[in-house]
Amino acid sequence: MSRSNKRHLFNKVIENVTIAGVAAEGKAIARHNDMVIFVNYGAPGDVVDIQIKKTRRRHLEGEIIKFHKKSASRTEPFCEHFGICGGCKWQHLSYEEQLKYKQKQVTDSIERIGKVNYPFELIPILGSQQTQFYRNKLEYTFASRRWLTPDEIQGGEEISNLEALGYHIPGFYDKVLDIKKCWLQPEPSNHIRLGIKEFAIKNHIDFYDFRTKTGLLRNIIIRNNEKGEFMLILVLFSGEEEKRESILKYIQKSFPEVISVYYMLNDKQNSSIADLEPVHFAGTFYLTEEMEGLQFRIGPKSFYQTNSRQAYELYKIAREFARLTGKELVYDLYTGTGTIANFVARQARKVVGIEYIEEAVSHARENSRLNKLDNLVFAAGDMAKVLTPEFMEQHGKPDVIITDPPRAGMHPDVLKQIIASEAEKIVYVSCNPATQARDIEILSGSYKVKKVQAVDMFPHTQHVESVVLLEKI
Ligand code: SAH
């Protein structure tokens, strides 16, 4: 059915539909005649009435407006912000159920997109031991006028204290939900955020106004390590030095767990911090994370897997799949700050890490120095340009390739070079099973899937990590 002859369905209510499954993007799926309807917050097995909100060419999008039957896989969401905040959209599904869908997403991708129709070892998905307070980094936005919930608007009472320090409402860059308690980062994360908010209001330090594009305070980034030490990065407009100083001092003095304080000045319209220079204000320059006695330095802008404990499990699986004996030359593609490279270096002859962010590469080198490892080299640049026959001639052809690309997967030229490298094994770590499966298909003339294990790094979200071992045919 084309989009135009679906238009009459706009705002229509479709009654008594059964939620049939969960789509890769995390929405629930229902079917009506021959059409697919995507809805948020549905659980397979629910019987509901759906109001159609969008008509697309291939599908419809709707909202659940009434429940006739609630699915047995449902559970009570624990967070008061559930349903409005974009953060943990799967809280209404039991954790068991979440893992089931994540597992299915990985195996379906490998079989359907990867066209793997031969047997391989499927190791069951590894759930996260911590399903709450598992993140080590959060970013909040200051806003002079918070997003009001439908209840508040309908309540009709006069609403004061409009300032918000919280998360963007999904799809609205200029609307911010004030957060009271977030279940993602361990305490004192909430305590710090609420303290900062209170201090700013009391001292008349302005929150960012998205309409006039003024107001000193813009964002705050809170990072922590497993030891419970915190780093705070305040993003603000330039100017008003006294106020800047007073709030930074407040942060430094009020929270003993905060061992490092930075700020960044942002006079741009957008809130991206990628091009901002961190200025050290107080305390240590880094946080340090530890794994098996290895140390990793985390600066204000460093990439580090956001669920530290589960990252350790992920790296152990990747290392186990690689089965290193100490003789191998290993390439770690998309190495970031060299975490996996450092992690496997003691079991390898030599590790070559490649990554395009220069700053990350210098952190990777620093990490291996810190760990007194001398068998690692790092190269900076775009993978498709760095990984060439000449590069492999210079550094040696890899025995094992570990690769951990971003969501888009690998560039065709990179896949071509991987095939040309004739590496015995490829350990493919991915945060996007669909692009991973696409790449596996491209590699299928030379490599076969031997093992697959999904890992859940992000409970209550639709995201899943997948580790695949490929061996040369
Ligand atoms: N393996 C690391 C980081 C993985 S994230 C860890 O576990 O910590 C993916 C990394 O790929 C990021 O650091 C990103 O900067 C890098 N990257 C993305 N596209 C790239 C490209 N075209 N060439 C090289 N590196 C790239």
Side-chain angles (χ1 to χ4, degrees), residues 129-130 134 136 226 306-314:
Q129 248 188 11
Q130 298 166 286
Y134 58 80
N136 58 29
E226 284 290 289
T306 43
N307 178 345
S308 309
R309 282 195 216 170
Q310 197 67 349
Y312 177 44
E313 300 302 322
L314 178 76

Side-chain angles (χ1 to χ4, degrees), residues 353-365:
I354 308 175
E355 158 65 42
Y356 73 4
I357 297 181
E358 297 266 358
E359 200 185 348
V361 171
S362 68
H363 282 139
R365 291 193 181 114

Side-chain angles (χ1 to χ4, degrees), residues 303 305 315 334-336 339-340 355-357 381-383 404-406:
F303 176 85
Q305 292 280 357
Y315 296 159
Y334 310 90
T335 192
T339 334
I340 298 179
E355 158 65 42
Y356 73 4
I357 297 181
D382 179 19
M383 198 61 63
D404 184 9

Side-chain angles (χ1 to χ4, degrees), residues 233-234 262-266 272-280 300-301 359:
I233 305 136
L234 186 65
Y262 279 87
Y263 67 91
M264 299 188 199
L265 298 178
N266 182 10
S272 157
I273 63 157
D275 52 354
L276 303 179
E277 200 54 52
V279 184
H280 182 250
K301 285 168 81 177
E359 200 185 348

Side-chain angles (χ1 to χ4, degrees), residues 25 40 55 60 75 133 159 162 221 232 281 298 358 365 376-377 429 461 468:
E25 307 75 34
N40 274 321
T55 57
L60 302 167
T75 186
F133 308 113
I159 294 164
L162 278 176
I221 300 157
L232 265 279
F281 179 77
I298 302 168
E358 297 266 358
R365 291 193 181 114
L376 294 115
V377 286
V429 181
T461 76
V468 173

